[in-house]
């Protein structure tokens, strides 16, 4: 296949996906750009309906984008025939879904669930047993090999689901809300496991989540809004330099000093034509309507309401303000539990609150 973009493991440019529903067109991806490095753990966040699952399906070869460019590990997925796409999906991709019922067959044991996927790949019985045993060990479930999914807890089922996703020795692991149905301590253990598996099997992981706390486990967090990449959250060391993209720096470090020296900053993403998205609530706070005035100022670009199009400025209740802003930036679902109080994850809601205070 083509050898064009070897510098990025995943390279999407101007990705468009249009669904036809009862004669109407639904544009799920509207020219999305995305680059993921080999070995990276990328978290995708965004309101429901913003196109996260559609993107994951395109990356996994489950569905074809309508237009754009999609290259993974030097392969142009849009040029694949249906047979090539199926082979790509079977041989190179592992999927973990939110509902474990989609990953596991309830009447087979954990071990049989893993082996089944290898039967499909045509391995010998001996190979299957050895590989299933290793995967059970890798996900910390050796003693549960003979249990069936309904006998396991949600977190244990998700571990088996992850082992199943690795049965075909994929290069890329795609996970849609893998921690969506478990409590936060269990979610943390699953995320730690994913990091370990990334190292052990040289995986590139893209996971969809609505929980900003997952940022601590990912190397980068990309927010998707209306089918485009909107903002990107990066780690910044206290000296203002973007920290190494290895998220382990923040989460496995044992010293309080190292933890305090890294925080998260959410940056607006510009596409190749210079387009950017301004979240609706921020536009409303600045009174920006359909058109805005753009001024070059010392050190930056100022976007403000134009006199002709100014809209009434909405002022949120200062107490619920932070939550409301967080809510509209990341999710259309109810806001999740507050961020951990150790101050390590500084999400956009804190920053926006601070920005707002300064402009008052
Ligand atoms: P998310 O995962 O971020 O919640 P999706 O990718 O599932 O969003 O959906 C993006 C948009 O595409 C939504 O408007 C959704 O209704 C639409 N959509 C997704 N899948 C289909 C489909 N199979 N047929 C028609 N419309 C779809
Ligand atoms: Mg979805």
């Amino acid at each position: 296949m083509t050898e064009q973009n070897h510098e990025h493991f995943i390279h999407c440019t101007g990705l468009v996906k249009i669904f036809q529903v009862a004669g109407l067109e639904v544009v799920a991806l509207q020219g999305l750009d995305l680059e993921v490095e080999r070995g990276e753990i990328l978290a995708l966040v965004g309101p429901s309906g913003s196109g996260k699952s559609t993107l994951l399906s395109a990356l996994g070869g489950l569905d074809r984008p309508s237009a754009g460019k999609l290259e993974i590990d030097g392969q142009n997925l849009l040029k694949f025939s249906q047979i090539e796409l199926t082979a790509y999906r079977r041989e190179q991709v592992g999927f973990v879904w939110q509902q474990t019922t989609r990953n596991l067959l309830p009447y087979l044991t954990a071990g049989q669930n893993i082996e089944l996927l290898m039967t499909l790949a045509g391995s010998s019985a001996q190979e299957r047993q050895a590989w299933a045993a290793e995967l059970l060990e890798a996900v910390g479930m050796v003693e549960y090999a003979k249990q069936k999914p309904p006998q396991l807890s949600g977190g244990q089922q998700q571990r088996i689901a992850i082992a199943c996703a690795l049965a075909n020795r994929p290069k890329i692991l795609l996970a849609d809300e893998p921690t969506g149905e478990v409590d936060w301590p269990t979610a943390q253990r699953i995320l730690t496991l994913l990091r370990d598996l990334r190292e052990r099997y040289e995986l590139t992981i893209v996971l969809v989540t609505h929980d900003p706390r997952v940022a601590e486990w990912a190397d980068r967090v990309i927010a998707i809004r209306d089918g485009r990449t909107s903002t990107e959250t990066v780690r910044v060391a206290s000296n203002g330099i973007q920290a190494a993209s290895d998220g382990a720096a923040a989460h496995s470090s044992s010293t309080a000093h190292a933890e305090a020296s890294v925080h998260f900053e959410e940056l607006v993403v510009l596409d190749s034509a210079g387009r950017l998205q301004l979240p609706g609530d921020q536009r409303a706070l600045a009174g920006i309507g359909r058109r805005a005035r753009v001024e070059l100022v010392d050190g930056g670009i100022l976007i403000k309401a134009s006199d002709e199009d100014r809209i009434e400025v909405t002022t949120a209740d200062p107490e619920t303000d932070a939550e409301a802003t967080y809510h509209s930036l990341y999710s259309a679902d109810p806001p999740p539990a507050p961020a951990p109080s150790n101050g390590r994850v500084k999400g956009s809601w804190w920053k926006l609150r601070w920005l707002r205070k300064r402009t008052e």
Side-chain angles (χ1 to χ4, degrees):
M1 283 287 120
T2 54
E3 301 268 66
Q4 288 158 18
N5 270 297
H6 262 185
E7 64 272 39
H8 303 296
F9 183 72
I10 297 176
H11 192 104
C12 306
T13 316
L15 215 57
V16 173
K17 175 67 190 183
I18 301 171
F19 292 106
Q20 301 281 346
V21 183
L24 293 174
E25 289 190 342
V26 178
V27 188
L29 300 178
Q30 312 206 26
L32 181 136
D33 297 335
L34 180 72
E35 284 157 2
V36 186
E37 304 307 324
R38 189 184 295 274
E40 198 176 14
I41 299 186
L42 178 78
L44 294 174
V45 298
S48 81
S50 58
K52 304 180 299 293
S53 296
T54 305
L55 174 61
L56 227 52
S57 297
L59 296 179
L62 284 169
D63 206 355
R64 279 175 186 279
S66 313
K69 207 166 98 178
L70 172 53
E71 287 180 356
I72 298 186
D73 201 14
Q75 308 161 99
N76 183 342
L77 263 61
L78 269 72
K79 291 227 173 100
F80 274 173
S81 68
Q82 202 51 46
I83 290 172
E84 287 171 320
L85 198 63
T86 305
Y88 160 79
R89 189 170 67 226
R90 286 211 184 129
E91 293 161 16
Q92 300 184 39
V93 189
F95 291 97
V96 182
W97 308 103
Q98 178 176 3
Q99 292 92 5
T100 45
T101 45
R102 196 168 166 186
N103 298 299
L104 305 173
L105 292 171
Y107 48 83
L108 296 183
T109 67
Q112 287 167 339
N113 262 288
I114 303 171
E115 282 188 47
L116 175 74
L117 291 153
M118 287 176 266
T119 318
L120 301 177
S123 332
S124 74
Q126 211 174 13
E127 278 169 352
R128 289 201 302 269
Q129 277 162 14
W131 183 228
E134 170 172 343
L135 287 175
L136 282 166
E137 184 268 310
V139 300
M141 291 291 289
V142 173
E143 61 269 46
Y144 298 94
K146 298 220 156 41
Q147 308 257 24
K148 292 179 181 164
Q151 299 167 309
L152 301 171
S153 71
Q156 289 169 337
Q157 287 183 30
Q158 209 53 312
R159 281 170 184 269
I160 298 296
I162 292 168
C164 287
L166 298 178
N168 58 345
R169 303 176 194 262
K171 300 181 203 172
I172 172 168
L173 186 69
L174 302 173
D176 205 343
E177 295 273 5
T179 57
E181 292 192 348
V182 295
D183 59 20
W184 179 236
T186 308
Q188 285 176 295
R189 286 194 288 275
I190 290 175
L191 293 164
T192 304
L193 171 66
L194 287 176
R195 292 194 64 89
D196 293 346
L197 295 171
R198 178 262 295 264
E199 303 298 332
R200 186 161 172 170
Y201 299 118
E202 296 174 354
L203 297 166
T204 301
I205 302 180
V206 180
L207 69 91
V208 166
T209 177
H210 72 273
D211 190 336
R213 293 173 294 182
V214 171
E216 216 181 331
W217 272 261
D219 299 323
R220 273 191 307 154
V221 180
I222 299 250
I224 307 227
R225 297 173 71 86
D226 298 324
R228 283 166 175 262
T229 39
S230 159
T231 61
E232 179 171 328
T233 303
V234 294
R235 259 158 234 286
V236 183
S238 53
N239 56 10
I241 296 169
Q242 191 174 326
S245 71
D246 187 347
H251 119 260
S252 63
S253 166
S254 54
T255 65
H257 172 74
E259 284 168 2
S261 68
V262 173
H263 69 277
F264 294 85
E265 189 172 348
E266 186 177 19
L267 306 172
V268 173
V269 175
L270 280 75
D271 72 9
S272 49
R275 285 180 288 244
L276 56 80
Q277 274 182 329
L278 295 176
D281 60 334
Q282 290 179 38
R283 289 202 308 271
L285 284 163
I288 294 175
R290 198 176 64 81
R291 294 179 298 179
R293 196 171 288 285
V294 179
E295 289 172 19
L296 270 180
V297 294
D298 191 23
I301 296 174
L302 178 68
I303 303 173
K304 54 187 214 184
S306 73
D307 295 338
E308 302 80 31
D309 291 279
R310 184 181 299 278
I311 57 167
E312 198 185 331
V313 175
T314 51
T315 44
D317 171 357
E319 280 316 304
T320 56
D321 185 25
E323 232 174 46
T325 303
Y326 159 73
H327 184 201
S328 67
L329 252 184
Y330 280 115
S331 174
D333 306 323
S341 56
N342 61 15
R344 279 191 284 159
V345 178
K346 290 189 189 144
S348 58
W349 60 104
W350 301 117
K351 210 172 85 198
L352 289 170
R353 173 179 246 183
W354 175 77
L355 282 174
R356 201 163 307 167
K357 280 218 174 94
R358 261 184 27 146
T359 51
E360 266 160 17

